[in-house]
Amino acid sequence: MAKILIINTGGTISMVSSGRGYVPNGELFRERLLSMDLLKQAPMPQWVLTQTEPLLDSSNMTVSDWNRIGQLIADNYEAFDGFVILHGTDTMAYTASALSFMLEGLDKPVILTGSQIPLSQLRSDGRDNLIDSLLIAAEGRVREVCIFFGGKLLRGNRATKYSADELIAFVSPNYPPLAEAGITVSYNKTLLRGRQEVPFRLQLLDEIPIGVIKVFPGIQFSLFEQILTEKLKGIVIETFGAGNIPQGGSELLPLVRKALANGTVITVCSQCPQGTVTLGAYETSSALKDAGAVSGRDLTTEAAVAKLYYLFSKGYAADDVKRLMETDLCGEESA
Ligand code: ASP
């Protein structure tokens, strides 16, 4: 029988009401899980629950929390067949993206899930999300970091939170679901990652100074001069459409040039959830290209941020980071 480690990091699934809104409660969550007979019946795998301390609303997740989760997986890698990570929905796509890079050579399922309604409540979506995640992890067909939510198994570094209140909270606009849970779980076999050749290794992340700027009509780029210092290692610019910025961006270009001279890697992503950045397709993006920005192609902002953390943590020089930002490493961007 497969053995799965459940790592509870917090989020709505393990929350209870308090005078100041929902907060995680590990003790009650453990009791509830242990009292769920369904989780002990065939075909449920054998599972062990561990909870990180303190449990977090995922809005409070930091790089050191990602490292803690990664370390837990690495420490238990040989002893378990798969991992289910319970996590808040707000930053689940960031954590999934980060882990997809950190867990190099991953050859086992790592599935993040959670819920929009606490497990302690009658209509909780957490029950089905947890049961399906455990079954998928136990089946062992997946060898990558995924998000399972609302009946869909998504590649973690392609997913993004889409709804603040619907039970299907995540989408993966540039990559089809890896599996869908209907009467049975049907896998999209051609999309699953194959067996990994390189041995498993954990790359911990450093707290690299990076930033995200979202452009909007009327943006005053000069206001960003303060943050574009030599301390900033990487920045993701969320542009319009295929990578376009307002042409009054004559203000932006000196800043971009200064940032590049400082060694800051500028990655251009799109505000459109679906499609890809093509620098130079329009005059309004040519200037970014000429100034040396790199295309984030069809990366989500979550994956672009996580990838910058990862590449700089590996010690790559800015030129290598630029090259690798445009190279698919683990299914995060289209080849
Ligand atoms: N604020 C919660 C969190 O991200 C939301 C959720 O879990 O759905 O932890």
Side-chain angles (χ1 to χ4, degrees):
M1 189 195 276
K3 209 171 155 198
I4 307 299
L5 181 63
I6 303 177
I7 302 173
N8 182 23
T9 68
T12 298
I13 193 163
S14 53
M15 288 190 181
V16 293
S17 297
S18 79
R20 288 167 50 80
Y22 284 134
V23 289
N25 186 317
E27 226 169 285
L28 290 181
F29 182 74
R30 178 181 290 277
E31 271 173 31
R32 179 155 292 267
L33 221 59
L34 293 175
S35 71
M36 282 173 69
D37 287 338
L38 274 175
L39 296 182
K40 297 173 201 149
Q41 290 168 11
M44 273 295 140
Q46 206 185 329
W47 54 267
V48 174
L49 171 69
T50 183
Q51 310 203 77
T52 53
E53 232 342 278
L55 292 180
L56 296 176
D57 185 302
S58 76
S59 312
N60 292 326
M61 279 273 161
T62 61
V63 168
S64 63
D65 297 306
W66 294 344
N67 284 341
R68 197 165 310 138
I69 299 168
Q71 195 64 59
L72 267 170
I73 293 172
D75 291 347
N76 291 284
Y77 193 72
E78 294 308 329
F80 288 87
D81 301 299
F83 302 85
V84 170
I85 303 173
L86 304 180
H87 195 289
T89 57
D90 289 344
T91 65
M92 191 184 288
Y94 285 94
T95 302
S97 297
L99 290 173
S100 75
F101 297 113
M102 295 163 68
L103 303 173
E104 296 175 351
L106 178 69
D107 214 23
K108 296 189 177 186
V110 172
I111 300 179
L112 286 93
T113 194
S115 68
Q116 293 279 54
I117 306 174
L119 192 66
S120 54
Q121 293 186 13
L122 186 65
R123 287 190 57 253
S124 179
D125 50 330
R127 187 175 148 279
D128 284 354
N129 285 344
L130 174 59
I131 289 173
D132 281 334
S133 297
L134 281 168
L135 291 172
I136 291 170
E139 231 184 312
R141 295 169 84 159
V142 170
R143 305 167 183 282
E144 57 183 294
V145 179
C146 302
I147 288 181
F148 182 86
F149 216 94
K152 290 191 192 327
L153 184 73
L154 307 176
R155 175 164 290 163
N157 54 29
R158 292 293 195 140
T160 191
K161 184 171 176 181
Y162 156 80
S163 175
D165 43 31
E166 286 181 13
L167 300 186
I168 300 176
F170 289 88
V171 291
S172 167
N174 282 324
Y175 203 74
L178 300 179
E180 299 193 45
I183 290 177
T184 58
V185 176
S186 75
Y187 289 88
N188 208 338
K189 288 185 208 101
T190 53
L191 299 178
L192 297 175
R193 252 183 122 203
R195 190 171 281 284
Q196 296 301 295
E197 301 297 328
V198 292
F200 174 75
R201 174 185 175 272
L202 171 67
Q203 172 65 51
L204 293 173
L205 300 187
D206 297 326
E207 286 173 11
I208 308 290
I210 59 177
V212 178
I213 295 179
K214 179 170 184 160
V215 302
F216 55 89
I219 185 169
Q220 294 178 25
F221 287 113
S222 55
L223 297 177
F224 296 98
E225 195 158 4
Q226 305 287 338
I227 61 164
L228 290 171
T229 65
E230 62 282 353
K231 279 204 206 121
L232 194 69
K233 292 279 199 189
I235 188 151
V236 176
I237 305 188
E238 272 194 16
T239 58
F240 305 128
N244 307 318
I245 54 166
Q247 224 150 16
S250 51
E251 246 191 279
L252 174 67
L253 294 180
L255 295 184
V256 169
R257 284 192 206 104
K258 183 181 145 209
L260 289 164
N262 285 339
T264 307
V265 173
I266 298 181
T267 304
V268 181
C269 285
S270 177
Q271 292 175 21
C272 297
Q274 209 269 315
T276 189
V277 164
T278 312
L279 291 184
Y282 290 85
E283 194 186 1
T284 42
S285 70
S286 287
L288 274 175
K289 187 179 181 192
D290 296 345
V294 298
S295 171
R297 309 204 299 174
D298 60 351
L299 284 173
T300 60
T301 297
E302 294 90 326
V305 164
K307 196 167 176 180
L308 284 171
Y309 273 124
Y310 170 73
L311 294 174
F312 280 111
S313 299
K314 282 193 76 79
Y316 287 116
D319 278 345
D320 289 323
V321 174
K322 280 177 156 182
R323 179 177 51 81
L324 291 168
M325 284 305 285
E326 292 186 342
T327 309
D328 178 38
L329 300 183
C330 53
E332 75 280 9
E333 59 187 274
S334 301

